[in-house]
Amino acid sequence: MIKAILIFNNHGKPRLIRFYQYFAEDMQQQIIRETFHLVSKRDDNVCNFLEGGSLIGGSDYKLIYRHYATLYFVFCVDSSESELGILDLIQVFVETLDKCFENVCELDLIFHMDKVHYILQEVVMGGMVLETNMNEIVAQVELQNRMEKSEGGLSGAPARAVSAVKNMNLPEMPRNINIGDINIKVPSLSPF
Amino acid sequence: MADSRRSAPLSWTNKPAAKMSDVVEKTLTALPSLLSLDSQPGSAKLSSSSKLGNLIRGITELTSKHEEEKLIQRELVSIKEQVSSPNTTMRQMKELMVRAIYCESLGYEASFSYIHAIKLAQQGTALEKRVGYLAVSLFLNENHELLLLLVNTVLKDLQSTNLIEVCMALTVVSQMFPKDMIPAILPLVEEKLNHPKEIIRRKAVLALYKFYLIAPNQVQHIHNKFRKALCDKDPGVMTASLHIYLQLIQENPDGYKDLTASFVTILKQVVGGKLPIDFNYHSVPAPWLQIQLLRILSLLGKNDQNASEIMYEILDESLQRAEMNHNITYAILYECVKCVYTIHPKSDLLEKAAKCIGNFVLSQKINLKYLGLKALTYVVQQDPKLALQHQMTIIECLDHSDLIIKRETVELLFRITNAQNVMVIVDKMLEFLRVSPDDYTTIDLTGKVAELAEKYAPDNEWFIETMNTVFSVGGDMMQPDIPNSFLKLLSEGFDGVEEDRKLRLFAVDSYVSLLRGEPGKLPQRFLQVISWVLGEYSHLMEELEPATVLRLLERLLDMKQTSSETKSWVLMAMTKLCEGGASVAVAQQVSETYISSMDTVLRQRAQELQHLSQDSELRARVLPRDADLEPQEVDSSLSFLDGFVSEALAAGAAPYKPPHQRQEELAQAKALSLEPYGLSLPISMASCSIADRQSPTLLSISSGLSGDSTELSHKGGPTTLKLDGVKRVWGREGYLRESVEEVAQVEVPSPLRSPSQQAGADSSHSQTPTPTPDPEQDKQQLASSLFFGLSSQSPMCLMGKPEPTPNRFRRKTKGQGSSSSATGQTPSPLSSSPSTVDDLLGDDLLDSSIPSEPSVSSSTITLELSQGFTATAHGPCDVEAELADSDVKESNPSPSEDDGLVAADPAPHEDPDRPEDPCLSSHLPAELCEHGHSEITPLCTNQSLELSACHVQKEDSLVFVIFICNSSAIQQIQLELHSEHLEVSCVSDSPEVDVSSHSVTVYQYSLTVKRPSVHVEVAGMVSYQLCDGTPQNLQFSYKLPLTSFIRPLTVSTEEYGTMWLDFCHDTKQNLTLISDGEEPLTATLNVLKRKLQLGVVEVIGMEGILACQLLKDQPCLMHCRVHAGLLAVWLRSPVPDLPDCLIYHCQRALQGD
């Protein structure tokens, strides 16, 4: 299970904090600080896994992180998650952010913290990985955004319309016909 | 759109991309203008009027934390004002909520907004609702009381026709939901499993999984629906359901074996590319799904050959298909390898997996190297040769720049440690400890080094030096049981007197030189260890003057950083040492300094020091040298305080109740405790263990958790550890599954160290690498010493595997703990009848002549009884003058305080002079004959009458039989019995009979105990008239041991547990164990069972519980445990004095042999 997802910048300023296990407010801040302390002193050419923090779950817990430009994306997970799997999930999450914000940068995360949360909710739900397919995640978020655009009494309608479209899919056809043709590869996507 | 993406300024790399950071820096500096210009492409409008924008801009302009705090507080005040204003619209509220979230994420509390977040979720439109739900899920936890207000909203939204609303409700429910309210929404969530939209079904499955995690009972009934979800036509729903199955199978693999084939089929389809292309990630089909499936399979195939065979094929395919081209395929491979090594082994798969691990370890990608090392650590138990293959890589990893890689390598080395390579490996571990300063590593590694040192130390010097390093590096962070077990090892000794002496001597030597150096740098715990060792053993070093040691210790007292706890250790050590002129002077001086200390403990120690330093005789008595070699005889029942206690009781003090009992009573005042024995005992007991008063309650806790309590039987050393080994799990196998942290301090009872292995250890010693100029050669040498003895035939000890190890510091096994005996390890079903008790003990262990069923032939009973009496005959017996026979036996003063013990020892049949009257027994009533009786003893005689008596032990009563045999004609014989201990009632009354000459009259009385005493006595008087009418009387008394009234009590362990807590009178004592070849505990319990008729309830490992009752219905419970070669017995009963009397008889019974 994922215990927490922390995004902070190179100076340790939290940009998105999501705990899936209850910690008191001051404990949360302490975890953020300790995690930042652990992660920030690591070079970029070392492995993306960290063990040995004692705040969340002790020996059963691991930090899996990626460093993108000014931001650290840190997932705190227990032993039931695959290390490399989570590492790629972070990649998926970031690519999704990139797609939704069209060239995401730290400012997007600051000013649209709520939207980042909504995107995250489509990736991880209650500590469990919900969706790993970027297109599917984007589709869900777009569905909600469309609702936003037509806000004002008709909130239910677009969703129903979209679902009607989606329901037209025949079982053997790939899902998400509406975005299925978009197959963008983020250009400089390197595995490490 | 795709093209514009390509020209994006952002590049996703791990390295700080110049572009992005440029952008951010630029934007941050130009923020004010940017905000007004609103030039951010793609981001929603950030007009200058945006409050959030202002806030963020304000924060970025700040320079100090303090200013930020001020700003945020101002912001919070403003938010507070607005949210509570009635004019604020929902739309504004939404914006305010985002600001509140922002403040909270920076660590400032905005608790006033919580209720408004809930309101927003309740009343807003879908979009506002979304913000409300988000705020709620970020602000509140599942125990927050406000959350109850959300339940209705969630209920409403779950029923909404708007998909988004349903999704939001499901999301919030899976994030946090009050446990008690689950039933309210459960049907609705369940219903969603049939929803036409897959996203809803998927979220519903995960929500249910969340429910399962927080309240498993609530979703018990929907397991079938989980199966339906697993078979869902949408792969996404199926994937979600795997979360549940992974958890369920982890908890109970046997319950889901039938699904093995299904999971294999699913994996086959996934690997075969049967899923829509949509599921591909970097052209790997549904990698996360594969990982999940492989994890499930490894759980199912563990220790199950049949299940494993089903999955061999697909594992093989997975291994082959996963080409090493992308991160995610490695993830799959890694799971595959772990699965192959977890399930029932298949050689060709193992081979492939081993090759895979090799690729991982050798990979240049550091993440893969890490996983390779992890995999290696995992498999090295089964395949030590694999580590051998990669030894050079491992050596390289040891010097890796990444601490995490190093750490993992050290962990791997820890697993392959044996007697041959221990020195090199420990060296490496300590080296790592010095470079890695974080607490967690220190705690973890010091424990492991201490464990290895104790297990494999090649010689004393090395051991002491290693432990010195552990103490100095581990400092005050390390687990407290490391110093404790170290001191215990020193004090208990191991291999023999001479070896012990050498070890101690070396320790003293080393500590003296440490103290002469810079003791100020040593951590407190180490100083405590040093003081204790010097206090105990510095006399071994003859050339060392006690005064010198005292002065060294005095220096410690003068240091600023010495804690008062350490000071009291130092003072204790000084007390042990002050001898002779110079040292007394030092001691006096020190004690004067501390005798007025504010710290009461220090003051106490100083007082002791002062007094004992002046009175060397007293000191020798109080602190005998080498006293710890033999456990001190201590009156653990504190009987010398009885007078004080009874005075206090008489003065109206409340009887003492142990803390756990008080607590229990408190708890019971509220609710009935239905928990079984042991488990209901509060752990707090653990902390009140006193060296010589081991509490059975504590022991029960440990026995509940460990079947193998050999290690638990520690002698109460000076620093007795409270919960030694409690965490340990059943049996040896359990260790293997445990994480390594758990196995610290495991002792492996091992056969004798073989000389050859010792030789090996020595040779390894000599192979310690010496620095050479050639680095490559250096590595080679390191490798040869690291992996020494890893070849297949060499003994390896992995995680405390019970393989024969040349364990240097074998603790002396006191009261040999045999876990092999049937009794030790069978947690048998609760014994409800004596026969099951027999099963428990194992028939072979029982004395064959001893019946266990109550209904057995009388002959055996007689035997039993007479044996019982034989035992008691050894008791202290004074004989009343009236008694004809004088079976006077001087024996050691009884620990029991019964004054003037009068024993009409019923049948000491070693006395040949005893007048036997076989014909009297023929007068015994027929119904009593079948029970067997004690020997008939004369009570008193005169010219006209002859009184004899015996007693008959029936199952439910004790019958006292008096035979009156007259030699001349007398009349109106009247018999009166009275006793201060016993209740006497007539059974067959012949209260007044004329006894014709030379006839025998039989009187029967039923006796029950009023007040227990070690021996109970019944006194009586016969009055009669001679033929001439003159009244005569004759007095007599008859004494019988309390044991005659003891019967086995059949209870189950649970009942025992409940009763145990109810009883308030208890006593404890250490008794000697009987060891006549048999397993000592069983032998001893058998003797008690036979001689005292105690019923054995259960025997677990080194502990046994017994129960008996004093006629009628006065139970007494006994808990015994083998501890340091003695049997620690704790008796409890509702009847005052009963435990004390019984313990006396137990002592007799055991000494009698």
Side-chain angles (χ1 to χ4, degrees), chain A residues 30-96:
Chain A
Q30 205 181 324
I31 290 173
I32 296 167
R33 274 197 303 275
E34 186 182 297
T35 310
F36 172 69
H37 180 70
L38 282 173
V39 168
S40 61
K41 66 179 179 197
R42 289 176 64 76
D43 294 339
D44 279 324
N45 58 349
V46 297
C47 67
N48 298 53
F49 315 117
L50 258 177
E51 280 174 79
S54 43
L55 285 175
I56 310 179
S59 61
D60 191 34
Y61 120 101
K62 242 179 264 153
L63 295 174
I64 298 165
Y65 75 97
R66 271 176 183 262
H67 188 196
Y68 292 99
T70 57
L71 291 175
Y72 285 99
F73 286 71
V74 186
F75 279 42
C76 308
V77 302
D78 65 13
S79 61
S80 72
E81 299 290 343
S82 148
E83 291 90 344
L84 289 177
I86 293 293
L87 205 56
D88 267 52
L89 189 70
I90 300 178
Q91 180 71 23
V92 168
F93 177 48
V94 173
E95 280 177 42
T96 312

Side-chain angles (χ1 to χ4, degrees), chain B residues 560-864:
Chain B
K560 258 206 309 285
Q561 61 270 49
T562 311
S563 72
S564 63
E565 194 195 348
T566 309
K567 281 182 184 166
S568 74
W569 283 70
V570 171
L571 287 178
M572 267 304 278
M574 286 179 142
T575 316
K576 289 174 194 159
L577 284 173
C578 52
E579 211 173 353
S583 53
V584 172
V586 178
Q588 284 299 331
Q589 194 193 335
V590 167
S591 61
E592 264 162 41
T593 319
Y594 287 96
I595 215 150
S596 53
S597 162
M598 293 297 282
D599 189 312
T600 46
V601 179
L602 278 185
R603 209 152 62 199
Q604 161 95 17
R605 297 280 169 252
Q607 287 277 8
E608 287 169 8
L609 176 60
Q610 189 174 41
H611 283 97
L612 294 178
S613 64
Q614 282 165 348
D615 188 346
S616 62
E617 213 171 281
L618 182 63
R619 197 178 61 85
R621 224 172 60 224
V622 176
L623 298 164
R625 201 154 269 178
D626 293 332
D628 50 330
L629 291 179
E630 280 304 315
Q632 287 183 18
E633 284 294 334
V634 179
D635 182 2
S636 60
S637 67
L638 300 181
S639 58
F640 57 90
L641 287 174
D642 283 354
F644 173 78
V645 170
S646 55
E647 259 173 49
L649 285 175
Y656 173 74
K657 284 173 185 162
H660 66 272
Q661 194 188 343
R662 273 173 290 181
Q663 207 172 332
E664 193 61 35
E665 278 171 7
L666 266 177
Q668 275 181 346
K670 288 176 195 143
L672 264 177
S673 162
L674 296 171
E675 282 185 58
Y677 175 58
L679 294 176
S680 59
L681 298 167
I683 305 293
S684 65
M685 263 310 286
S687 56
C688 62
S689 135
I690 305 165
D692 61 313
R693 261 183 98 127
Q694 288 284 359
S695 82
T697 325
L698 161 62
L699 313 175
S700 307
I701 293 170
S702 44
S703 85
L705 296 156
S706 95
D708 183 351
S709 48
T710 328
E711 296 97 305
L712 297 177
S713 52
H714 295 307
K715 188 175 74 169
T719 48
T720 308
L721 201 57
K722 289 100 193 171
L723 265 177
D724 244 1
V726 156
K727 267 201 213 148
R728 256 159 233 168
V729 274
W730 265 95
R732 299 282 174 210
E733 287 307 304
Y735 291 147
L736 299 174
R737 315 249 177 280
E738 280 291 348
S739 67
V740 200
E741 284 79 12
E742 303 272 322
V743 293
Q745 310 308 324
V746 168
E747 299 163 48
V748 183
S750 66
L752 288 168
R753 166 161 57 148
S754 80
S756 66
Q757 282 163 345
Q758 176 55 30
D762 290 338
S763 68
S764 131
H765 186 185
S766 59
Q767 279 187 13
T768 318
T770 42
T772 50
D774 180 8
E776 204 41 49
Q777 198 189 334
D778 197 21
K779 278 182 182 168
Q780 288 286 0
Q781 202 169 1
L782 179 60
S784 67
S785 39
L786 271 179
F787 299 93
F788 195 84
L790 268 190
S791 53
S792 54
Q793 73 273 31
S794 78
M796 279 246 304
C797 188
L798 297 163
M799 304 181 69
K801 235 182 193 171
E803 280 183 35
T805 56
N807 208 348
R808 177 166 183 87
F809 297 109
R810 280 185 316 278
R811 295 254 167 77
K812 277 179 190 159
T813 22
K814 307 209 167 166
Q816 86 193 59
S818 132
S819 50
S820 60
S821 93
T823 43
Q825 288 206 322
T826 333
S828 83
L830 311 156
S831 47
S832 51
S833 74
S835 62
T836 41
V837 170
D838 274 359
D839 292 346
L840 228 151
L841 280 173
D843 289 359
D844 52 329
L845 298 171
L846 281 174
D847 191 327
S848 58
S849 67
I850 303 310
S852 54
E853 294 281 355
S855 55
V856 275
S857 65
S858 62
S859 62
T860 32
I861 281 274
T862 321
L863 171 61
E864 188 175 356

Side-chain angles (χ1 to χ4, degrees), chain B residues 950-989:
Chain B
C950 71
H951 61 264
V952 178
Q953 277 172 289
K954 288 180 27 175
E955 280 157 46
D956 53 352
S957 60
L958 186 106
V959 181
F960 178 47
V961 188
I962 299 181
F963 304 90
I964 299 181
C965 184
N966 58 331
S967 42
S968 61
I970 49 171
Q971 341 161 353
Q972 287 186 340
I973 298 179
Q974 261 184 319
L975 199 56
E976 279 173 39
L977 289 180
H978 54 88
S979 164
E980 57 171 327
H981 302 125
L982 298 169
E983 198 89 63
V984 184
S985 58
C986 220
V987 178
S988 67
D989 39 9

Side-chain angles (χ1 to χ4, degrees), chain B residues 870-878 889-891 901 903 905 1015 1144 1148:
Chain B
T870 321
T872 55
H874 295 276
C877 323
D878 299 344
K889 281 185 200 290
E890 276 306 318
S891 61
L901 278 185
D905 242 353
H1015 286 93
Y1144 167 78
R1148 290 287 133 201

